Amino acid sequence: MMTELSLNVLDVAQNSVKAGASLIGITVEADTENDRLTIVIEDNGCGMTEEQVKQVTDPFYTTRTTRKVGLGVPFFKLAAESAGGRFGIASEPGKGTKVTAEFRLSHIDRMPLGDMTETIHSLVTMNVDIDFLYVYRVDKREFTLDTREFREILGGVPFNMPEVSGYIRDYLSENKAETDGGVIL
Amino acid sequence: MKSLEELKAIREKMQGQVGLRAEDDTVTRVVVGMATCGIAAGARPVLAAFADGVQKKGLTNVMVTQTGCIGLCKYEPIVEIMEPGKEKVTYIKVTPEKAEEIIDQHLVRGQIISDYTIK
C-alpha cells in the first residue's frame, strides 16, 4: 500500500509516461461543501483496449515481465473505494487514458493527500520532454501549473536545470499554500 | 501567486550556459527505480535527495534518472550507478540519508559503499 495519495498519483502517472504521452493532465480537487476529493490523471498516450481496461484493476494482471503482479492501479482503486468513493478508467487505443478516483473527504479511512508538490516536481523534472498540466483546486480557489507555458518562456532551458527546478518547486509550494491556506488535505 | 516574471529572469541568466553539460560518454548515470514497488518503499524522497544533492555539489557529469521495476521489489528503493567503463553498482534499501552518503563517497570520491550494495 502507499502511505499517501500523492504517491498513488506519482505511480499512476508513470503509466502515462510509459504510454508515450506527450501531455499529462493531473487535477486534484477538494470540495468541502460536498465532502469530496477528486483526483483525475489524464493522458494522450497509447491508450488501452477494452479488454485491457477490464484487466488493469486486477492485481494479477501486468504487462511487465520483471514480476507477475501489477499493483499500481489496484492500490489506487482500493484507496478510493475504501474511503466511500469511486474509481473509474476510460481509455481508447491511440487516444489516451483517463483515471478518475473520488474519495469522501472526511472518511476515516481516506489516506492523506500528502506531498503533491514533490510528486509534480519529480514528474516535471524527470520527464523533461513531456508536458504536464496540473490543476489544484480547493473549493473556489485554484492554481495551475502548465509546463507548456513554462517551456515557451524558457526557450531551450531545460526543466532539470538547478535554477528552473528550484523555481518549479517554489511555484508549486507557494501557490499551493495560497490555494488551500495551509490546510492539510 | 508566484509570478512567471521570475522564470523569464532565469531564462535570461541561464541561456548562455545551456551547452555546459558533459558529453554523453563521460556521464555517470544514477538510476532510481520508480515503479509501484519502488514508490511504495520510499523512492520519491530518494530520487529527490539524489537530484538535489548532485545539484548542490555541482556534479555536472552526473545525470539522475528513473526506471521501472527491475524485479527485485523486496530490495527497493534500488539505485543503480553506471559509470562509463565500470561495472554497474546496485544499491538497495536506499534512504535519503544513505543517498547523501552515496553522493559523498561514491559519486564525489569514487568509493563504493559495499555495505549498501547487492552482488
Side-chain angles (χ1 to χ4, degrees):
Chain A
M1 276 303 268
M2 298 295 177
T3 48
E4 50 185 65
L5 293 172
S6 70
L7 291 175
N8 289 102
V9 174
L10 178 61
D11 187 26
V12 172
Q14 300 286 358
N15 297 343
S16 299
V17 171
K18 269 175 228 118
S22 62
L23 178 64
I24 300 173
I26 296 171
T27 303
V28 173
E29 182 175 12
D31 178 350
T32 51
E33 203 171 303
N34 294 306
D35 198 23
R36 284 272 123 183
L37 174 70
T38 309
I39 298 175
V40 180
I41 300 155
E42 202 173 357
D43 70 59
N44 63 355
C46 63
M48 290 180 285
T49 61
E50 220 173 297
E51 186 78 355
Q52 278 175 309
V53 172
K54 276 187 204 144
Q55 288 172 312
V56 82
T57 54
D58 173 359
F60 296 101
Y61 174 79
T62 182
T63 54
R64 74 174 77 241
T65 52
T66 50
R67 58 169 141 82
K68 288 178 180 156
V69 289
L71 291 168
V73 171
F75 274 171
F76 200 27
K77 181 172 187 268
L78 186 72
E81 289 174 351
S82 54
R86 281 185 302 193
F87 182 84
I89 299 185
S91 188
E92 208 181 312
K95 288 254 172 78
T97 301
K98 182 179 180 177
V99 176
T100 309
E102 273 182 38
F103 308 78
R104 222 176 80 207
L105 204 52
S106 64
H107 198 288
I108 188 122
D109 287 329
R110 182 183 63 80
M111 271 193 272
L113 180 61
D115 197 346
M116 274 308 295
T117 295
E118 204 44 53
T119 281
I120 301 296
H121 182 264
S122 62
L123 282 168
V124 169
T125 55
M126 286 291 143
N127 303 285
V128 291
D129 299 325
I130 301 175
D131 277 313
F132 289 88
L133 176 61
Y134 172 53
V135 180
Y136 181 72
R137 194 176 294 131
V138 177
D139 295 327
K140 287 193 173 67
R141 302 173 78 106
E142 69 166 55
F143 88 91
T144 301
L145 177 149
D146 187 343
T147 58
R148 290 168 297 187
E149 228 171 55
F150 286 11
R151 216 178 281 281
E152 202 178 312
I153 294 171
L154 284 168
V157 181
F159 294 147
N160 52 7
M161 287 281 268
E163 287 78 0
V164 181
S165 162
Y167 171 86
I168 293 172
R169 184 175 275 129
D170 293 347
Y171 182 94
L172 285 164
S173 63
E174 284 175 31
N175 289 342
K176 179 191 174 292
E178 268 186 53
T179 304
D180 60 23
V183 164
I184 294 166
L185 286 176
Chain B
M1 291 274 162
K2 198 160 174 70
S3 80
L4 293 170
E5 286 302 313
E6 280 176 58
L7 200 58
K8 282 181 193 152
I10 292 173
R11 178 208 170 149
E12 270 145 39
K13 200 174 125 213
M14 299 314 293
Q15 222 158 21
Q17 305 176 33
V18 178
L20 286 179
R21 284 234 152 233
E23 291 298 311
D24 266 2
D25 53 346
T26 65
V27 165
T28 295
R29 285 158 47 86
V30 175
V31 184
V32 183
M34 291 289 284
T36 307
C37 46
I39 293 171
R44 187 180 65 182
V46 169
L47 180 73
F50 272 106
D52 293 350
V54 162
Q55 280 180 5
K56 253 181 233 147
K57 306 259 168 187
L59 306 174
T60 49
N61 64 327
V62 177
M63 201 169 90
V64 181
T65 57
Q66 55 182 24
T67 186
C69 168
I70 59 168
L72 299 169
C73 309
K74 68 174 175 179
Y75 297 118
E76 293 282 356
I78 294 173
V79 176
E80 297 174 314
I81 297 189
M82 294 138 169
E83 282 178 82
K86 288 189 189 164
E87 224 173 294
K88 175 176 82 184
V89 177
T90 304
Y91 287 103
I92 58 167
K93 299 197 179 214
V94 182
T95 60
E97 293 74 31
K98 285 185 185 173
E100 270 178 48
E101 281 182 65
I102 294 167
I103 293 169
D104 285 343
Q105 296 299 326
H106 189 152
L107 296 176
V108 175
R109 297 193 181 87
Q111 288 167 349
I112 296 167
I113 309 177
S114 46
D115 284 357
Y116 302 160
T117 59
I118 190 169
K119 301 209 172 63

